[in-house]
Amino acid sequence: MNNLTELEVEHLRHIIGGHGTIANKLDNYAQSSTDPEFKTILQKDAQAARQAKQQLMNFLG
């Protein structure tokens, strides 16, 4: 766990959850978008949020 304190782990979990929520919301917005260009932007941003979430999860082991 890279010598993280309990508080740091709790904050990390909170941030990870936030990235998951953002990814889900962006996916939902993309599904309801009628503009193809905007839809692509939303999908790319959702993927970036999922990647950031995964990178943060690596700190938890």
Side-chain angles (χ1 to χ4, degrees), residues 1 5 8-9 15-17 19-20 30 32 39-40 42 44 48 51-52 54 57-58 60:
M1 203 175 338
T5 67
E8 290 169 330
V9 170
I15 293 168
I16 289 168
H19 280 292
S32 63
K39 184 176 195 144
T40 300
L42 292 170
K44 286 181 181 179
Q51 288 172 343
Q54 186 57 47
M57 287 176 60
N58 289 337
L60 297 178

Side-chain angles (χ1 to χ4, degrees), residues 47-60:
Q47 181 61 31
R50 280 189 289 278
Q51 288 172 343
K53 177 183 172 183
Q54 186 57 47
Q55 289 174 334
L56 291 169
M57 287 176 60
N58 289 337
F59 285 104
L60 297 178

